[in-house]
Amino acid sequence: MDLRPPADPAFHDMTGIPKNLAVAPAWLSEANTAPLPSSIVVATLERHSPSPGLIPATTSRTMASTDAVDTQSRTIQGPSAKEWEKHRETIIGLYKQYPLKRVSEIMRTQHGFSASKRMYDKRFREWNVFKNTNSDERIRAARRARMSRASTPPRGSGSHNNFSRDDLRKTMQYQQTRTMSIISHKLGEYYDWQLSHIPEGAVPDDYLGHRTPEESTRYWNTIKNAIYLVKISINSKEDVDLRPDRRAWSTFAEAGQLAAAAMTSQPFDFLRNLFATLSPVNTRARPELRNILLRFLTSEAQRTLSPNHPITHICQELQNDEGSQEISQRSLQCMLDIFNSRLQRSRAITFKLLDSLATLLRRSGEYRAGLEIVTELLHASGPVFGPDSDQVRSVENELAHFYMLTDNADMALGHCMSVVTRPPVRPGEAPSFYQDGIAAHAMEDLAEIHQRRGDLEQCITWLERAASIALVVWGPKDIATSHLVDKMASLQRQLGRDLLESATLWEATIVSEGN
């Protein structure tokens, strides 16, 4: 019996894999998600299987406003004695760490528990819980220190109010642990729901991880290109009007129009890139960019999904991670653990997550750990996807980046050539070059290797090949294409008059085909 769904073009893409139409459930209210106790640790992923219905965004917003009215009503009436007792340990634990205003906010947003200051004060008296003034002052001092990034901790006038670096470290550690706990909880909750709503006949690994919609690809490629332009402009000696990042800001704005479609069309790719692409290490050239992007994505998730959706919560929590690189890495590892435990065997999902994790480790300087992952991934990918598959070529290109970092040019060159060279189909046929985006990136790497060696002619040759592919694959308006042509034209002018005409022609091509 054929268990596959009917061949409805609205339900399938060109690969035959069902479209993930149920990827963005609008979480109805906080009541649909189990409350997150403060004692949850990162290693513990509780399994939840909410069954939210798919409702239009307008309905979500209406329900959100209704929830707000209900919350106000509950605040006036106050929680029942049973509710107070249920949340007692959580409230006391938070009160030891935060001012009452923050405790009230956390309980309201994370637990759906609303009470006034007078109600809290009354309950604390009944519980014989009193605020340690000195501890409270230290917490406030820790926040002031984080905001100002002061080189030395502030000191109070009294000996008991001294704020040490150890206090700051513990406070930040607590915040990061709490952030990671919420993220892991929301990931588990969301993907449990996803896995329980796989269409009949669809393979979970293919349904969630294999297909990458155009919306997701366009959004994250645009963000990556813009971040790259900002990064390479930091040490640029060119005039502001000539620096690469002059195009970055309009590119970020362009990406903003794609964000909602990216998070609803394929949330696996969206969350993977949220942790990998928007990791603090990728935006360290301009750290403020990350928070701007995260705030925007939070707003888009609230508008498109719902204020209580796991994706919304995760975007919010990443703004509280204190720029911790570890949070990004552990979040990717958490996704990997979830799918490995739920699916037992997941090829496409595991490959993408490990590839992202290896890249993140490389960029954060954890060379040995990243190299171990990418080497094992390369060996494992061949038998699964095929020796000449896109997966094998992309991971081999990542391996070349590791060798470029250590100035092992010969190894890097060999891997890059393997990525760009298409094996002959028939005996006696000459090898040719692939004409896709993977090849274009690898050709740019080959150009950099030759430039480091001082061979500018070979460098320009590979840039020309990469640019020719980019014009076809990405188009003349794409920021990556423009960057390749700019880099090549600059080098051509450096080499002298013979290449001035070529540089001018390339620049004219971008202008004419882009219009």
Side-chain angles (χ1 to χ4, degrees):
M1 178 182 294
D2 189 355
L3 297 178
R4 292 173 297 177
D8 182 352
F11 186 70
H12 290 71
D13 62 12
M14 296 300 291
T15 65
I17 298 170
K19 291 182 179 179
N20 196 341
L21 300 179
V23 295
W27 252 237
L28 301 182
S29 71
E30 289 291 354
N32 279 357
T33 58
L36 177 65
S38 59
S39 60
I40 287 183
V41 295
V42 175
T44 305
L45 288 173
E46 298 184 20
R47 185 178 180 88
H48 299 275
S49 298
S51 302
L54 287 174
I55 57 177
T58 52
T59 308
S60 301
R61 289 193 287 275
T62 302
M63 297 186 70
S65 63
T66 304
D67 287 347
V69 173
D70 291 342
T71 299
Q72 292 174 0
S73 176
R74 287 196 299 270
T75 303
I76 295 172
Q77 297 174 2
S80 66
K82 185 176 180 180
E83 287 177 300
W84 278 106
E85 196 57 35
K86 175 184 176 182
H87 294 290
R88 176 173 177 168
E89 294 302 319
T90 301
I91 293 170
I92 293 174
L94 289 171
Y95 192 52
K96 290 179 180 178
Q97 299 291 335
Y98 293 104
L100 180 54
K101 184 177 180 181
R102 178 60 175 154
V103 174
S104 177
E105 179 184 353
I106 292 173
M107 292 304 299
R108 177 176 55 79
T109 59
Q110 299 296 333
H111 302 277
F113 183 92
S114 297
S116 67
K117 179 180 184 299
R118 180 182 58 80
M119 294 173 188
Y120 274 108
D121 289 339
K122 178 177 179 291
R123 197 61 59 168
F124 286 139
R125 288 194 298 272
E126 292 177 1
W127 292 342
N128 290 318
V129 175
F130 301 97
K131 193 73 170 178
N132 183 323
T133 304
N134 291 337
S135 174
D136 192 36
E137 181 60 30
R138 286 175 181 172
I139 295 299
R140 287 197 293 271
R143 288 178 181 160
R144 289 195 298 270
R146 292 202 306 273
M147 293 298 292
S148 63
R149 296 290 190 266
S151 57
T152 56
R155 292 183 177 273
S157 56
S159 59
H160 294 289
N161 285 332
N162 289 342
F163 175 74
S164 68
R165 291 182 183 275
D166 190 51
D167 291 327
L168 175 60
R169 180 186 60 79
K170 289 179 180 178
T171 303
M172 294 177 69
Q173 186 178 43
Y174 173 83
Q175 177 62 54
Q176 290 169 11
T177 301
R178 175 188 172 279
T179 295
M180 190 63 236
S181 297
I182 293 174
I183 289 174
S184 62
H185 177 80
K186 293 299 178 182
L187 284 172
E189 175 185 88
Y190 188 41
Y191 285 122
D192 277 346
W193 186 90
Q194 284 272 294
L195 291 168
S196 68
H197 288 74
I198 301 295
E200 183 180 6
V203 178
D205 187 47
D206 290 341
Y207 182 68
L208 293 177
H210 182 74
R211 191 178 66 87
T212 302
E214 181 183 353
E215 299 92 337
S216 180
T217 301
R218 283 182 59 204
Y219 176 74
W220 287 112
N221 281 349
T222 304
I223 290 292
K224 289 174 187 176
N225 288 335
I227 290 175
Y228 176 71
L229 292 181
V230 171
K231 182 177 70 173
I232 64 175
S233 297
I234 290 299
N235 298 318
S236 175
K237 297 179 181 178
E238 294 180 295
D239 293 337
V240 175
D241 293 337
L242 298 177
R243 290 190 331 195
D245 64 356
R246 73 188 187 278
R247 292 195 300 270
W249 317 119
S250 59
T251 303
F252 281 123
E254 174 191 335
Q257 301 174 23
L258 308 170
M263 69 175 67
T264 56
S265 64
Q266 178 50 290
F268 168 76
D269 267 350
F270 179 82
L271 288 170
R272 176 176 64 88
N273 276 290
L274 185 68
F275 300 133
T277 303
L278 293 189
S279 170
V281 71
N282 288 331
T283 55
R284 57 189 169 194
R286 293 288 294 272
E288 70 275 15
L289 273 178
R290 181 171 181 262
N291 270 339
I292 292 172
L293 290 169
L294 286 173
R295 285 199 299 271
F296 173 76
L297 290 175
T298 300
S299 174
E300 284 293 281
Q302 289 174 335
R303 181 183 65 83
T304 307
L305 304 174
S306 81
N308 300 323
H309 196 282
I311 289 179
T312 305
H313 282 290
I314 290 171
C315 289
Q316 288 173 331
E317 285 305 318
L318 285 175
Q319 297 175 58
N320 301 323
D321 66 3
E322 305 294 341
S324 169
Q325 177 63 24
E326 186 181 359
I327 295 291
S328 299
Q329 294 174 8
R330 289 170 67 182
S331 296
L332 286 173
Q333 184 63 54
C334 179
M335 289 181 70
L336 191 63
D337 292 342
I338 289 171
F339 284 110
N340 283 345
S341 64
R342 308 309 197 258
L343 298 180
Q344 305 303 323
R345 185 182 182 213
S346 57
R347 295 178 176 180
I349 289 174
T350 299
F351 173 84
K352 287 183 176 181
L353 288 171
L354 286 175
D355 190 37
S356 295
L357 188 57
T359 301
L360 206 55
L361 289 168
R362 169 174 62 82
R363 289 175 177 166
S364 61
E366 298 182 52
Y367 173 83
R368 192 180 299 275
L371 181 61
E372 183 178 345
I373 289 176
V374 79
T375 302
E376 291 183 3
L377 192 57
L378 180 60
H379 292 320
S381 298
V384 174
F385 300 107
D388 303 317
S389 63
D390 289 351
Q391 289 87 345
V392 169
R393 292 172 59 226
S394 65
V395 77
E396 187 163 12
N397 195 197
E398 176 59 30
L399 181 57
H401 291 153
F402 277 87
Y403 288 120
M404 289 172 70
L405 270 180
T406 57
D407 292 326
N408 192 336
D410 290 338
M411 289 293 290
L413 193 67
H415 284 295
C416 284
M417 287 302 300
S418 177
V419 171
V420 303
T421 306
R422 187 196 303 272
V425 178
R426 292 178 290 275
E429 185 179 68
S432 58
F433 293 134
Y434 285 102
Q435 301 293 307
D436 57 15
I438 300 173
H441 286 305
M443 288 174 180
E444 186 177 6
D445 292 332
L446 284 165
E448 183 177 340
I449 293 169
H450 285 292
Q451 185 175 13
R452 290 181 184 181
R453 289 178 164 181
D455 190 344
L456 292 186
E457 289 188 6
Q458 276 295 311
C459 172
I460 291 173
T461 296
W462 283 110
L463 284 176
E464 286 180 332
R465 289 169 177 162
S468 297
I469 294 173
L471 281 170
V472 176
V473 175
W474 301 324
K477 292 184 178 181
D478 190 86
I479 195 169
T481 304
S482 300
H483 175 61
L484 276 171
V485 172
D486 285 352
K487 185 190 293 188
M488 178 180 56
S490 176
L491 287 171
Q492 287 173 330
R493 286 190 168 88
Q494 287 181 33
L495 278 184
R497 295 179 180 176
D498 291 344
L499 293 177
L500 280 178
E501 183 178 355
S502 176
T504 304
L505 288 173
W506 271 105
E507 291 170 333
T509 300
I510 289 292
V511 173
S512 62
E513 294 192 21
N515 292 331

